[in-house]
Amino acid sequence: MHTDERILAYGGGWLDRAGARRTDPGWIAARLADRETVLLPLWRDHCLVSAERTPVRRGAVEAAGLLAAADETVFLGLDGGVAVFAVDLSGRSEQEALELAGAAEAVNVRSLVGGLGPAEAAVQAYARGLLHWHRGQRYCGSCGAVTVGRDGGHTRSCADAGCARLFFPRIEPAIIVLVEAPGAPDRCLLARHRGAPEGSWSTLAGFVEVGESLEDAVRREMAEEAGVTVVDLAYQGSQAWPFPAGLMVGFRATAAAEEVRVDGEELVEARWFTREELRARSAAGRPLGRIDSIDRHLLGTWLTAGD
């Protein structure tokens, strides 16, 4: 089995999430009163950045107005002993949020990732995903009562004492697969998704369903979308994907036969590519996967394996 330990985008965050401490409300309150504590403001899933397009960071004490205006404040972790919190300003207008944070612009973290270090990108994506979950879990799915944040923002509980159900952040796992042809020459299967521009090709992916293992999901998705039976599955790595709550799990697999039959729903076209074809596309300025996505990693390692 081939694996690669290189850190993918949104992985490798440096924060100590302090799971044993964040359940103590007094400890959380003390961190928010600490002059060293750092706040990362976000607005409706967007990072708030300076004119230089770097994420805004504010001291908790000097930015008391920021905390007072927040819809939700969640503890992210400790950076060398300094607490870091994410502050959600989604209930404000964009202009209000910018003024409160002293920011110049609200941007998607994916547009920043090329200019951020891996750990900084990981923390911003972590903050985005956690705050998104809070906005979507305001009510109890069992009784309909409101829910309230606790444990530094890592759980929510139903406010109805008769229910008191606990909710934890949800992660939606998905598999993404580089499928190799069964015989020579070496080729991999790429597809064009419905709505994608002409000539835009990517690896195949899909969500894991209830009652499936990751391997089950690989076999089902490849059969459903491309009519391909796969064997020799090999795990390649995983990637945090909080857009809003994903976890991408990468595999390489081999097709049992070369015939391809796309479903016509999610995929409109699929075909086999040689390494030479992919290198030519890359040389022509057509990127092999997004800069921040695991599909670029899967394609890159496959190309390297042929050198």
Side-chain angles (χ1 to χ4, degrees):
M1 179 177 70
H2 171 79
T3 60
D4 194 306
E5 295 302 323
R6 288 180 295 178
I7 295 174
L8 299 169
Y10 314 118
W14 70 80
L15 296 182
D16 171 6
R17 300 196 181 196
R21 307 294 303 275
R22 67 192 187 202
T23 57
D24 180 353
W27 186 82
I28 292 292
R31 301 289 73 70
L32 285 171
D34 189 333
R35 288 190 173 276
E36 299 298 317
T37 290
V38 171
L39 306 179
L40 303 180
L42 287 88
W43 177 79
R44 301 181 191 177
D45 294 335
H46 286 65
C47 300
L48 299 181
V49 299
S50 67
E52 295 74 31
R53 289 178 68 82
T54 58
V56 168
R57 298 165 67 91
R58 291 285 178 260
V61 174
E62 67 183 17
L66 197 62
L67 289 172
D71 302 298
E72 199 76 44
T73 299
V74 300
F75 172 71
L76 298 177
L78 298 172
D79 178 7
V82 174
V84 181
F85 287 79
V87 178
D88 192 359
L89 299 174
S90 295
R92 304 285 173 155
S93 70
E94 181 175 2
Q95 188 57 41
E96 287 176 320
L98 294 175
E99 290 174 359
L100 283 163
E105 190 179 1
V107 300
N108 190 322
V109 66
R110 295 191 68 187
S111 71
L112 298 174
V113 68
L116 299 179
E120 181 68 28
V123 170
Q124 291 291 330
Y126 166 33
R128 180 194 192 278
L130 195 54
L131 291 178
H132 181 94
W133 171 73
H134 276 279
R135 292 199 305 279
Q137 191 62 74
R138 293 177 178 175
Y139 298 94
C140 176
S142 295
C143 72
V146 298
T147 62
V148 293
R150 52 182 282 185
D151 299 340
H154 289 262
T155 60
R156 293 185 73 86
S157 62
C158 176
D160 186 318
C163 177
R165 180 179 172 183
L166 288 179
F167 296 90
F168 299 88
R170 301 288 181 175
I171 296 176
E172 300 164 358
I175 50 87
I176 182 166
V177 189
L178 187 140
V179 179
E180 296 181 272
D186 291 347
R187 289 156 293 160
C188 71
L189 183 65
L190 300 181
R192 186 164 66 86
H193 291 73
R194 182 170 295 281
E198 190 73 28
S200 177
W201 301 89
S202 62
T203 51
L204 282 70
F207 285 103
V208 180
E209 296 186 353
V210 174
E212 282 187 324
S213 68
L214 296 172
E215 293 81 2
D216 291 338
V218 170
R219 287 186 281 265
R220 175 184 54 76
E221 284 285 350
M222 299 308 102
E224 287 180 355
E225 293 190 2
V228 173
T229 298
V230 293
V231 296
D232 299 330
L233 279 64
Y235 171 76
Q236 301 294 295
S238 64
Q239 180 183 29
W241 195 253
F243 306 108
L247 172 68
M248 301 299 294
V249 185
F251 284 87
R252 190 181 292 180
T254 302
E258 291 190 17
E259 182 183 3
V260 177
R261 299 185 309 277
V262 297
D263 61 4
E265 296 296 328
E266 293 189 46
L267 304 184
V268 294
E269 191 177 1
R271 57 168 287 234
W272 300 100
F273 286 80
T274 65
R275 288 187 172 89
E276 290 71 24
E277 287 177 301
L278 291 185
R279 291 190 179 107
R281 286 177 61 83
S282 181
R286 296 180 176 180
L288 302 179
R290 286 189 58 114
I291 188 173
D292 64 339
S293 176
I294 190 173
D295 64 344
R296 173 171 288 200
H297 167 75
L298 293 174
L299 289 164
T301 54
W302 185 74
L303 287 175
T304 301
D307 291 340

